[in-house]
Amino acid sequence: MDIKLQQVSYAYSAGTPFEKYALFDVEMEIPSKTYHAIIGHTGSGKSTILQHFNGLLKPTKGIVHIGERKIEAGKKAKELKPIRQKVGIVFQFPEHQLFEETVLKDIMFGPMNFGVSEEEAEKRAREGIKQVGLPEEVLDKSPFDLSGGQMRRVAIAGVLAMNPDVIVLDEPTAGLDPRGQKEIMDLFYRLHKERELTTILVTHSMEDAAKYADQISIMHEGRCVLTGAPREIFSDSETLKKYRLEIPRIVKFQQKIEKLIGKPLSKICLTEEELADEIARALKER
Amino acid sequence: MTEILSFHNVSFSYTPDKPDARKAVQNVSFSINEGEWIAIVGHNGSGKSTMVKMVCGLLFPQEGEIRVMQIILNEETLWDIRSKIGMVFQNPDNQFVGATVQDDVAFALENNGVPFEEMVERVSSSLKKVKMYEFLNHEPHHLSGGQKQRVAIAGALAMHPKLLILDEATSMLDPQGREEVLQTVLELRKEIGLTVLSITHDVEEALLADRVIFMNQGKKYAEGSPEEIFALGDKLTEFGLELPFAMRMTELLQAKGVHLSGNNLTEEELVNDLWTSNFSK
Amino acid sequence: MQKTNTLSKQRGKTTDLVIQAMLVALVFISTIFLNIKLPIASNGGLVHLGTAMLFIASILFGPKKGAIAGAVGMGLFDLVGGWLVWAPITIISRALQGYIVGKIAWSNGSRGDSIAKNIIATIVSIPVMVGVYYIGEAIMFSSFIMPLASIPGDLVQNGIGIIIAIPVCMVLKKIPYFASITR
Amino acid sequence: HQLDPRSKLIFTFIFVVIVFLANNVATYGLLLIFTLFVILISRIRLYFLINGLKPVIILVIFTFLIHILFTREGDVLLNLGFLEVYEGGLRQGIFISIRFVVLVFVTTILTLTTSPISITDGLEVLLNPLKKFKLPIHELALMMSIALRFIPTLMDETDKIMKAQMARGSDLGAGPIKDRIKAVVPLLVPLFVSAFKRAEDLATAMEVRGYRGGEGRTRYRQLKWDAKDTTCIFALVLMTALLVFFRS
């Protein structure tokens, strides 16, 4: 399912004296099955944009295309449920959305709201819990008896059980320890590959964007100021600085090495593995 | 050197009636001297948060004793000791008591009966120290996470603490907020020689410390300078911690056959190592 | 075994105070922010969830906390929403309502865990709440007819409140955390 | 505007009581003039006052009509066959409407010029004598200020949870009533859980920062009572005397 934003502007309290624009003429295109990262400073409008992807917010101006459907400013939106089923959102600290007596019921909540039968929902829950790396036994526990990290996985399973085509992630690793962070990010990358999920990652982590994304959009003061492949985006640290963003640590380190060697490496490296390879090669060539 | 805090064979269990169960903290001893920065690292469940709770008297050890400024921590000395310890917790929202920044900084002062004129003076001077003075009248929900944590630090400073404890104080912040808070702590150490105990799972934060205590399963697994601790390498990753970036790069490069002489904790060291091992011949 | 009394007396008091503050905030937010639109015409069809929250607070935390949560939370709503003239009436009526619900739900050793008692408690409190408002408004408007107008709205609100509060309490009571904190 | 919250509170309280003293043309006239005077010195733009009146305007009209329809005193002024308007009814209607508008104006002024937190401060000091009767005034005031401090935080939290559940297909604002009521549980349960996690954290933080009840505490927020406040209360006392004198 392709997602396309056309000239999207959004104002909070639109039509009142307190009207305040949070987005200005945002253009964005996220083709099906890609991994797209949206980076920006706190307050850059990235969380506002995220809520447009499944109709939680309606644009004040412009059009949001979600697959075949569109949500257009000024027009009454038709049934939003089919859109919300296809576009799952994992909010920041998603464990705060758990409420049911058991983990099983909580995971089934989403799918059943979208009219999936009980048997089917339960089947999905059993699959989902394994996919997020938890044993099936937790299904019968109260979600509030689990550790923070486990709760987050349950919440993620709850979104996955809706069988979305697109998954939107809002700072999915906030507050986790390093191992937890890596596990969650790897999990989403695996899902992206295996289920061919279109993945939209909203983050302030340059590292994660560099490591996982095919495309990156930079948000700044409510505008989408830059879109491109990670290597393009990170080749220009001056422009990024203008938007109060830093290039990823790995790219910064590459620059130091290039200064040391006295010539640029053949490409901008996005993972540690890649950089080690390039450095080794550059040293051999000497 | 004055001792600020020490643990002497401290143990604690949340289920003391089950002697077989693993204790949350088991036979831990260590001490901090004035002016030091100690980091306690360990993954979730390693016992580090239980240790913090014991330092500020929210839990009492079942075995062993804790001394703060050589005074044994117990129910009689508790409030006196608390007035000498400043603490910054994980969630910036859930420790902000006052209606505005200045009210919050004054909270501990009010509790300890500091007279009004002195309060005003201390509030403004500690806010200046963390560079939040111009936010005096701001309400908490208009501040960023990093700013709130700096206000929390100011609240602690106002009491002229002997020890500042950072209990995963940066783990919920964005990179910018984390930077802000760590910078503030670094500056304060330079300025007033503050003693710091930071509990963290952020390796880069641990690198800033003079000494690192590595906790695993309730026991002190190792203690030493950051160099010594991170030299443990795979042992750390096995217990759920990351290695510093420079160390990871060093390992990868060595695996690709690049000549490097040793463990590099920081990027500078790695760059220098690369230079001396490969260029300056 | 002995030294694990982490909940000192002061600790209990501080926690109580903060919980009370949260309950006040929750009642206020539910009143001002959470609405359900009903297709019936009374009150423009908007029913706020403040009464539901008051019921929940009283059932889970007993008469004292329930009374204060209702009185202060809704009194604050009057203050902020420009209905300050009503504040005295609100405070009296909601304090009584919260107290009655809590008292009955917590009578004879049960602590909000008997569904039957919870339902009776909420129902019994309705005439008291409506009555106080009636008397208060009668004084304010010097008329006995005028205040009749607000009764249907009050009844709908309380009704919705019960329908919501009872199941929410049931779920919350099952969460181990709440089962322990309200004991 | 710059008055001490205590004098504003006392003022409003006494005013609300003396409004009910008025019972004839002279006293209602006095009330109106006095209120206009208060509006003038408060320097609040009329726009805000009118705005404050908006929600209650229907009530005022309604009260007026009810009194006209149901009070049967004095001469008949108007006879439309099915409806008779009495002089007493008209007067009663006008008086009650004035009383109401005046009340709303003065209380709106209080709300507009004083933040809830200063009102709490003022109340704490005013009610302080009640401590003798073992009323926990300090605790109440601190509780209020914490509640006020957490309202915006919990508001955001509510919004977030609402959005998260909406994304999972449960919507408070759409669908049949049964579904809407059902959608409340997934909202309120997490809200409660989160509020109590916060309460626990905050209690811990307060304790570690040395909070142990009101005893021996000093106050950072100071209130200043000056000549203006005294003048203001004096004016009100004068007003009360006039009202008592002129009422019939």
Side-chain angles (χ1 to χ4, degrees), chain B residues 58 82 93-94 96 102-104 107 110-111 114 116, chain D residues 149 198 201-202 204 207 209-211 217-218 220-222:
Chain B
L58 292 168
R82 277 181 183 162
D93 267 320
N94 298 0
F96 207 111
Q102 53 175 335
D103 289 309
D104 190 62
F107 183 71
E110 293 180 311
N111 292 336
V114 176
F116 176 70
Chain D
R149 137 85 187 88
R198 287 178 194 282
D201 283 2
L202 190 72
T204 304
E207 200 184 330
R209 293 173 75 183
Y211 178 75
R217 264 188 121 227
T218 39
Y220 182 67
R221 279 168 169 271
Q222 300 279 330

PDB file of all heavy atoms in Angstrom, chain B residues 58 82 93-94 96 102-104 107 110-111 114 116, chain D residues 149 198 201-202 204 207 209-211 217-218 220-222:
ATOM      1  N   LEU B  58      14.720   3.956  51.086  1.00  0.00           N
ATOM      2  CA  LEU B  58      13.388   3.459  50.742  1.00  0.00           C
ATOM      3  C   LEU B  58      13.299   1.974  51.079  1.00  0.00           C
ATOM      4  O   LEU B  58      12.224   1.437  51.301  1.00  0.00           O
ATOM      5  CB  LEU B  58      13.109   3.679  49.255  1.00  0.00           C
ATOM      6  CG  LEU B  58      12.967   5.132  48.840  1.00  0.00           C
ATOM      7  CD1 LEU B  58      12.994   5.271  47.334  1.00  0.00           C
ATOM      8  CD2 LEU B  58      11.687   5.725  49.404  1.00  0.00           C
ATOM      9  N   ARG B  82      19.053  12.020  54.081  1.00  0.00           N
ATOM     10  CA  ARG B  82      18.361  12.419  52.847  1.00  0.00           C
ATOM     11  C   ARG B  82      18.616  13.870  52.501  1.00  0.00           C
ATOM     12  O   ARG B  82      18.648  14.247  51.336  1.00  0.00           O
ATOM     13  CB  ARG B  82      16.856  12.192  52.992  1.00  0.00           C
ATOM     14  CG  ARG B  82      16.478  10.770  52.697  1.00  0.00           C
ATOM     15  CD  ARG B  82      14.999  10.589  52.826  1.00  0.00           C
ATOM     16  NE  ARG B  82      14.668   9.183  52.612  1.00  0.00           N
ATOM     17  CZ  ARG B  82      13.535   8.633  52.978  1.00  0.00           C
ATOM     18  NH1 ARG B  82      12.618   9.360  53.580  1.00  0.00           N
ATOM     19  NH2 ARG B  82      13.304   7.365  52.744  1.00  0.00           N
ATOM     20  N   ASP B  93       8.970  13.528  34.335  1.00  0.00           N
ATOM     21  CA  ASP B  93       7.643  14.024  34.693  1.00  0.00           C
ATOM     22  C   ASP B  93       7.242  13.663  36.110  1.00  0.00           C
ATOM     23  O   ASP B  93       6.499  14.385  36.753  1.00  0.00           O
ATOM     24  CB  ASP B  93       6.596  13.434  33.738  1.00  0.00           C
ATOM     25  CG  ASP B  93       6.349  14.353  32.580  1.00  0.00           C
ATOM     26  OD1 ASP B  93       6.311  15.566  32.818  1.00  0.00           O
ATOM     27  OD2 ASP B  93       6.210  13.862  31.448  1.00  0.00           O
ATOM     28  N   ASN B  94       7.694  12.497  36.547  1.00  0.00           N
ATOM     29  CA  ASN B  94       7.159  11.990  37.806  1.00  0.00           C
ATOM     30  C   ASN B  94       7.938  12.395  39.040  1.00  0.00           C
ATOM     31  O   ASN B  94       7.799  11.787  40.087  1.00  0.00           O
ATOM     32  CB  ASN B  94       7.071  10.463  37.746  1.00  0.00           C
ATOM     33  CG  ASN B  94       6.131   9.998  36.667  1.00  0.00           C
ATOM     34  OD1 ASN B  94       5.543  10.820  35.969  1.00  0.00           O
ATOM     35  ND2 ASN B  94       5.987   8.708  36.522  1.00  0.00           N
ATOM     36  N   PHE B  96       8.608  15.971  39.370  1.00  0.00           N
ATOM     37  CA  PHE B  96       8.410  17.414  39.390  1.00  0.00           C
ATOM     38  C   PHE B  96       7.216  17.710  40.292  1.00  0.00           C
ATOM     39  O   PHE B  96       6.087  17.410  39.943  1.00  0.00           O
ATOM     40  CB  PHE B  96       8.139  17.891  37.963  1.00  0.00           C
ATOM     41  CG  PHE B  96       8.547  19.310  37.712  1.00  0.00           C
ATOM     42  CD1 PHE B  96       9.620  19.589  36.873  1.00  0.00           C
ATOM     43  CD2 PHE B  96       7.861  20.352  38.288  1.00  0.00           C
ATOM     44  CE1 PHE B  96       9.990  20.898  36.635  1.00  0.00           C
ATOM     45  CE2 PHE B  96       8.236  21.652  38.051  1.00  0.00           C
ATOM     46  CZ  PHE B  96       9.302  21.934  37.224  1.00  0.00           C
ATOM     47  N   GLN B 102      10.609  27.343  39.721  1.00  0.00           N
ATOM     48  CA  GLN B 102      11.177  27.789  40.995  1.00  0.00           C
ATOM     49  C   GLN B 102      10.521  27.111  42.199  1.00  0.00           C
ATOM     50  O   GLN B 102      11.195  26.804  43.178  1.00  0.00           O
ATOM     51  CB  GLN B 102      11.141  29.308  41.122  1.00  0.00           C
ATOM     52  CG  GLN B 102       9.800  29.948  40.908  1.00  0.00           C
ATOM     53  CD  GLN B 102       9.863  31.444  41.191  1.00  0.00           C
ATOM     54  OE1 GLN B 102      10.709  31.890  41.944  1.00  0.00           O
ATOM     55  NE2 GLN B 102       8.997  32.218  40.572  1.00  0.00           N
ATOM     56  N   ASP B 103       9.231  26.853  42.108  1.00  0.00           N
ATOM     57  CA  ASP B 103       8.583  26.146  43.203  1.00  0.00           C
ATOM     58  C   ASP B 103       9.185  24.768  43.394  1.00  0.00           C
ATOM     59  O   ASP B 103       9.353  24.288  44.507  1.00  0.00           O
ATOM     60  CB  ASP B 103       7.086  25.974  42.926  1.00  0.00           C
ATOM     61  CG  ASP B 103       6.351  27.277  43.026  1.00  0.00           C
ATOM     62  OD1 ASP B 103       6.523  27.957  44.044  1.00  0.00           O
ATOM     63  OD2 ASP B 103       5.620  27.623  42.071  1.00  0.00           O
ATOM     64  N   ASP B 104       9.482  24.122  42.260  1.00  0.00           N
ATOM     65  CA  ASP B 104      10.012  22.774  42.355  1.00  0.00           C
ATOM     66  C   ASP B 104      11.399  22.765  42.984  1.00  0.00           C
ATOM     67  O   ASP B 104      11.706  21.919  43.814  1.00  0.00           O
ATOM     68  CB  ASP B 104      10.052  22.122  40.976  1.00  0.00           C
ATOM     69  CG  ASP B 104      10.360  20.650  41.090  1.00  0.00           C
ATOM     70  OD1 ASP B 104       9.547  19.948  41.712  1.00  0.00           O
ATOM     71  OD2 ASP B 104      11.412  20.222  40.606  1.00  0.00           O
ATOM     72  N   PHE B 107      11.253  22.991  46.702  1.00  0.00           N
ATOM     73  CA  PHE B 107      10.505  21.980  47.457  1.00  0.00           C
ATOM     74  C   PHE B 107      11.307  21.370  48.610  1.00  0.00           C
ATOM     75  O   PHE B 107      10.844  21.320  49.751  1.00  0.00           O
ATOM     76  CB  PHE B 107      10.004  20.888  46.513  1.00  0.00           C
ATOM     77  CG  PHE B 107       9.170  19.843  47.184  1.00  0.00           C
ATOM     78  CD1 PHE B 107       7.894  20.144  47.639  1.00  0.00           C
ATOM     79  CD2 PHE B 107       9.663  18.562  47.377  1.00  0.00           C
ATOM     80  CE1 PHE B 107       7.125  19.183  48.268  1.00  0.00           C
ATOM     81  CE2 PHE B 107       8.900  17.594  48.008  1.00  0.00           C
ATOM     82  CZ  PHE B 107       7.632  17.907  48.447  1.00  0.00           C
ATOM     83  N   GLU B 110      11.897  23.875  51.389  1.00  0.00           N
ATOM     84  CA  GLU B 110      10.713  24.041  52.239  1.00  0.00           C
ATOM     85  C   GLU B 110      10.624  22.893  53.244  1.00  0.00           C
ATOM     86  O   GLU B 110      10.365  23.098  54.429  1.00  0.00           O
ATOM     87  CB  GLU B 110       9.439  24.041  51.381  1.00  0.00           C
ATOM     88  CG  GLU B 110       9.290  25.228  50.466  1.00  0.00           C
ATOM     89  CD  GLU B 110       7.995  25.169  49.650  1.00  0.00           C
ATOM     90  OE1 GLU B 110       7.706  24.113  49.050  1.00  0.00           O
ATOM     91  OE2 GLU B 110       7.276  26.168  49.624  1.00  0.00           O
ATOM     92  N   ASN B 111      10.832  21.675  52.731  1.00  0.00           N
ATOM     93  CA  ASN B 111      10.733  20.514  53.610  1.00  0.00           C
ATOM     94  C   ASN B 111      11.712  20.577  54.769  1.00  0.00           C
ATOM     95  O   ASN B 111      11.448  20.072  55.843  1.00  0.00           O
ATOM     96  CB  ASN B 111      11.015  19.230  52.821  1.00  0.00           C
ATOM     97  CG  ASN B 111       9.927  18.948  51.820  1.00  0.00           C
ATOM     98  OD1 ASN B 111       8.800  19.399  51.998  1.00  0.00           O
ATOM     99  ND2 ASN B 111      10.253  18.228  50.764  1.00  0.00           N
ATOM    100  N   VAL B 114      14.119  25.730  55.530  1.00  0.00           N
ATOM    101  CA  VAL B 114      15.052  26.822  55.239  1.00  0.00           C
ATOM    102  C   VAL B 114      14.270  28.133  55.211  1.00  0.00           C
ATOM    103  O   VAL B 114      13.202  28.201  54.621  1.00  0.00           O
ATOM    104  CB  VAL B 114      15.737  26.584  53.873  1.00  0.00           C
ATOM    105  CG1 VAL B 114      16.628  27.749  53.496  1.00  0.00           C
ATOM    106  CG2 VAL B 114      16.520  25.284  53.904  1.00  0.00           C
ATOM    107  N   PHE B 116      12.853  31.904  54.355  1.00  0.00           N
ATOM    108  CA  PHE B 116      12.450  32.412  53.051  1.00  0.00           C
ATOM    109  C   PHE B 116      13.569  33.104  52.281  1.00  0.00           C
ATOM    110  O   PHE B 116      13.829  32.794  51.122  1.00  0.00           O
ATOM    111  CB  PHE B 116      11.242  33.346  53.211  1.00  0.00           C
ATOM    112  CG  PHE B 116      10.817  33.991  51.932  1.00  0.00           C
ATOM    113  CD1 PHE B 116      10.222  33.232  50.931  1.00  0.00           C
ATOM    114  CD2 PHE B 116      11.015  35.349  51.717  1.00  0.00           C
ATOM    115  CE1 PHE B 116       9.840  33.818  49.742  1.00  0.00           C
ATOM    116  CE2 PHE B 116      10.621  35.939  50.526  1.00  0.00           C
ATOM    117  CZ  PHE B 116      10.039  35.176  49.538  1.00  0.00           C
TER     118      PHE B 116
ATOM    119  N   ARG D 149      -0.717  20.535  39.001  1.00  0.00           N
ATOM    120  CA  ARG D 149       0.527  20.288  38.284  1.00  0.00           C
ATOM    121  C   ARG D 149       0.372  19.090  37.344  1.00  0.00           C
ATOM    122  O   ARG D 149       0.945  19.061  36.262  1.00  0.00           O
ATOM    123  CB  ARG D 149       1.636  20.097  39.315  1.00  0.00           C
ATOM    124  CG  ARG D 149       2.630  18.995  39.108  1.00  0.00           C
ATOM    125  CD  ARG D 149       3.747  19.435  38.201  1.00  0.00           C
ATOM    126  NE  ARG D 149       4.641  18.350  37.838  1.00  0.00           N
ATOM    127  CZ  ARG D 149       4.455  17.552  36.799  1.00  0.00           C
ATOM    128  NH1 ARG D 149       3.397  17.677  36.037  1.00  0.00           N
ATOM    129  NH2 ARG D 149       5.324  16.623  36.519  1.00  0.00           N
ATOM    130  N   ARG D 198       2.578   6.989  38.220  1.00  0.00           N
ATOM    131  CA  ARG D 198       3.115   8.327  38.473  1.00  0.00           C
ATOM    132  C   ARG D 198       3.025   8.677  39.958  1.00  0.00           C
ATOM    133  O   ARG D 198       3.956   9.246  40.525  1.00  0.00           O
ATOM    134  CB  ARG D 198       2.349   9.375  37.676  1.00  0.00           C
ATOM    135  CG  ARG D 198       2.669   9.349  36.203  1.00  0.00           C
ATOM    136  CD  ARG D 198       1.836  10.376  35.463  1.00  0.00           C
ATOM    137  NE  ARG D 198       1.854  10.165  34.032  1.00  0.00           N
ATOM    138  CZ  ARG D 198       2.865  10.521  33.250  1.00  0.00           C
ATOM    139  NH1 ARG D 198       3.912  11.118  33.766  1.00  0.00           N
ATOM    140  NH2 ARG D 198       2.821  10.282  31.959  1.00  0.00           N
ATOM    141  N   ASP D 201       5.837   6.966  41.831  1.00  0.00           N
ATOM    142  CA  ASP D 201       7.114   7.625  41.569  1.00  0.00           C
ATOM    143  C   ASP D 201       7.208   8.956  42.308  1.00  0.00           C
ATOM    144  O   ASP D 201       8.223   9.266  42.914  1.00  0.00           O
ATOM    145  CB  ASP D 201       7.273   7.919  40.065  1.00  0.00           C
ATOM    146  CG  ASP D 201       7.644   6.678  39.293  1.00  0.00           C
ATOM    147  OD1 ASP D 201       7.734   5.601  39.917  1.00  0.00           O
ATOM    148  OD2 ASP D 201       7.844   6.767  38.068  1.00  0.00           O
ATOM    149  N   LEU D 202       6.128   9.720  42.220  1.00  0.00           N
ATOM    150  CA  LEU D 202       6.159  11.052  42.808  1.00  0.00           C
ATOM    151  C   LEU D 202       6.283  10.969  44.327  1.00  0.00           C
ATOM    152  O   LEU D 202       7.032  11.732  44.933  1.00  0.00           O
ATOM    153  CB  LEU D 202       4.907  11.835  42.424  1.00  0.00           C
ATOM    154  CG  LEU D 202       4.988  13.306  42.795  1.00  0.00           C
ATOM    155  CD1 LEU D 202       5.958  14.022  41.876  1.00  0.00           C
ATOM    156  CD2 LEU D 202       3.633  13.973  42.755  1.00  0.00           C
ATOM    157  N   THR D 204       7.710   8.673  46.004  1.00  0.00           N
ATOM    158  CA  THR D 204       9.104   8.331  46.276  1.00  0.00           C
ATOM    159  C   THR D 204       9.990   9.567  46.174  1.00  0.00           C
ATOM    160  O   THR D 204      10.784   9.860  47.067  1.00  0.00           O
ATOM    161  CB  THR D 204       9.602   7.287  45.258  1.00  0.00           C
ATOM    162  OG1 THR D 204       8.737   6.169  45.320  1.00  0.00           O
ATOM    163  CG2 THR D 204      11.018   6.859  45.558  1.00  0.00           C
ATOM    164  N   GLU D 207       9.503  11.929  49.041  1.00  0.00           N
ATOM    165  CA  GLU D 207      10.075  11.464  50.289  1.00  0.00           C
ATOM    166  C   GLU D 207      11.593  11.621  50.282  1.00  0.00           C
ATOM    167  O   GLU D 207      12.181  12.068  51.262  1.00  0.00           O
ATOM    168  CB  GLU D 207       9.686  10.008  50.504  1.00  0.00           C
ATOM    169  CG  GLU D 207       9.825   9.632  51.953  1.00  0.00           C
ATOM    170  CD  GLU D 207       9.551   8.182  52.203  1.00  0.00           C
ATOM    171  OE1 GLU D 207       8.737   7.591  51.457  1.00  0.00           O
ATOM    172  OE2 GLU D 207      10.161   7.638  53.117  1.00  0.00           O
ATOM    173  N   ARG D 209      13.206  13.732  48.759  1.00  0.00           N
ATOM    174  CA  ARG D 209      13.530  15.151  48.873  1.00  0.00           C
ATOM    175  C   ARG D 209      13.134  15.712  50.231  1.00  0.00           C
ATOM    176  O   ARG D 209      13.054  16.908  50.415  1.00  0.00           O
ATOM    177  CB  ARG D 209      12.868  15.936  47.750  1.00  0.00           C
ATOM    178  CG  ARG D 209      13.464  15.555  46.392  1.00  0.00           C
ATOM    179  CD  ARG D 209      12.714  16.179  45.256  1.00  0.00           C
ATOM    180  NE  ARG D 209      13.016  17.606  45.137  1.00  0.00           N
ATOM    181  CZ  ARG D 209      12.437  18.397  44.250  1.00  0.00           C
ATOM    182  NH1 ARG D 209      11.540  17.922  43.407  1.00  0.00           N
ATOM    183  NH2 ARG D 209      12.748  19.673  44.195  1.00  0.00           N
ATOM    184  N   GLY D 210      12.882  14.822  51.157  1.00  0.00           N
ATOM    185  CA  GLY D 210      12.716  15.243  52.543  1.00  0.00           C
ATOM    186  C   GLY D 210      11.312  15.648  52.942  1.00  0.00           C
ATOM    187  O   GLY D 210      11.136  16.297  53.966  1.00  0.00           O
ATOM    188  N   TYR D 211      10.296  15.261  52.180  1.00  0.00           N
ATOM    189  CA  TYR D 211       8.939  15.635  52.583  1.00  0.00           C
ATOM    190  C   TYR D 211       8.451  14.734  53.703  1.00  0.00           C
ATOM    191  O   TYR D 211       8.456  13.520  53.585  1.00  0.00           O
ATOM    192  CB  TYR D 211       7.971  15.552  51.402  1.00  0.00           C
ATOM    193  CG  TYR D 211       6.565  15.888  51.819  1.00  0.00           C
ATOM    194  CD1 TYR D 211       6.214  17.204  52.065  1.00  0.00           C
ATOM    195  CD2 TYR D 211       5.617  14.901  52.038  1.00  0.00           C
ATOM    196  CE1 TYR D 211       4.959  17.532  52.508  1.00  0.00           C
ATOM    197  CE2 TYR D 211       4.350  15.215  52.479  1.00  0.00           C
ATOM    198  CZ  TYR D 211       4.025  16.543  52.717  1.00  0.00           C
ATOM    199  OH  TYR D 211       2.775  16.853  53.159  1.00  0.00           O
ATOM    200  N   ARG D 217       7.747  22.992  58.043  1.00  0.00           N
ATOM    201  CA  ARG D 217       8.000  23.418  56.672  1.00  0.00           C
ATOM    202  C   ARG D 217       7.980  24.928  56.576  1.00  0.00           C
ATOM    203  O   ARG D 217       7.209  25.588  57.253  1.00  0.00           O
ATOM    204  CB  ARG D 217       6.914  22.864  55.745  1.00  0.00           C
ATOM    205  CG  ARG D 217       7.315  21.588  55.063  1.00  0.00           C
ATOM    206  CD  ARG D 217       6.293  21.209  54.030  1.00  0.00           C
ATOM    207  NE  ARG D 217       6.932  21.136  52.727  1.00  0.00           N
ATOM    208  CZ  ARG D 217       6.454  21.678  51.629  1.00  0.00           C
ATOM    209  NH1 ARG D 217       5.334  22.365  51.650  1.00  0.00           N
ATOM    210  NH2 ARG D 217       7.088  21.542  50.500  1.00  0.00           N
ATOM    211  N   THR D 218       8.797  25.470  55.704  1.00  0.00           N
ATOM    212  CA  THR D 218       8.693  26.899  55.421  1.00  0.00           C
ATOM    213  C   THR D 218       7.994  27.061  54.072  1.00  0.00           C
ATOM    214  O   THR D 218       7.841  26.109  53.330  1.00  0.00           O
ATOM    215  CB  THR D 218      10.094  27.544  55.367  1.00  0.00           C
ATOM    216  OG1 THR D 218      10.971  26.638  54.721  1.00  0.00           O
ATOM    217  CG2 THR D 218      10.600  27.844  56.746  1.00  0.00           C
ATOM    218  N   TYR D 220       7.786  28.874  50.337  1.00  0.00           N
ATOM    219  CA  TYR D 220       8.499  29.613  49.314  1.00  0.00           C
ATOM    220  C   TYR D 220       7.585  30.667  48.698  1.00  0.00           C
ATOM    221  O   TYR D 220       8.009  31.758  48.363  1.00  0.00           O
ATOM    222  CB  TYR D 220       9.013  28.660  48.250  1.00  0.00           C
ATOM    223  CG  TYR D 220       9.814  29.343  47.169  1.00  0.00           C
ATOM    224  CD1 TYR D 220      11.044  29.913  47.464  1.00  0.00           C
ATOM    225  CD2 TYR D 220       9.333  29.421  45.870  1.00  0.00           C
ATOM    226  CE1 TYR D 220      11.785  30.551  46.488  1.00  0.00           C
ATOM    227  CE2 TYR D 220      10.069  30.050  44.882  1.00  0.00           C
ATOM    228  CZ  TYR D 220      11.295  30.616  45.189  1.00  0.00           C
ATOM    229  OH  TYR D 220      12.018  31.239  44.225  1.00  0.00           O
ATOM    230  N   ARG D 221       6.325  30.299  48.547  1.00  0.00           N
ATOM    231  CA  ARG D 221       5.376  31.258  47.987  1.00  0.00           C
ATOM    232  C   ARG D 221       4.881  32.179  49.091  1.00  0.00           C
ATOM    233  O   ARG D 221       4.249  31.733  50.035  1.00  0.00           O
ATOM    234  CB  ARG D 221       4.174  30.519  47.394  1.00  0.00           C
ATOM    235  CG  ARG D 221       4.445  29.997  46.033  1.00  0.00           C
ATOM    236  CD  ARG D 221       3.376  29.056  45.598  1.00  0.00           C
ATOM    237  NE  ARG D 221       3.567  28.788  44.187  1.00  0.00           N
ATOM    238  CZ  ARG D 221       3.028  29.517  43.226  1.00  0.00           C
ATOM    239  NH1 ARG D 221       2.234  30.530  43.524  1.00  0.00           N
ATOM    240  NH2 ARG D 221       3.257  29.227  41.971  1.00  0.00           N
ATOM    241  N   GLN D 222       5.166  33.451  48.959  1.00  0.00           N
ATOM    242  CA  GLN D 222       4.744  34.404  49.971  1.00  0.00           C
ATOM    243  C   GLN D 222       3.627  35.272  49.413  1.00  0.00           C
ATOM    244  O   GLN D 222       3.621  35.610  48.247  1.00  0.00           O
ATOM    245  CB  GLN D 222       5.934  35.284  50.374  1.00  0.00           C
ATOM    246  CG  GLN D 222       7.103  34.511  50.935  1.00  0.00           C
ATOM    247  CD  GLN D 222       6.933  34.151  52.394  1.00  0.00           C
ATOM    248  OE1 GLN D 222       6.288  34.878  53.141  1.00  0.00           O
ATOM    249  NE2 GLN D 222       7.492  33.028  52.802  1.00  0.00           N
TER     250      GLN D 222
END
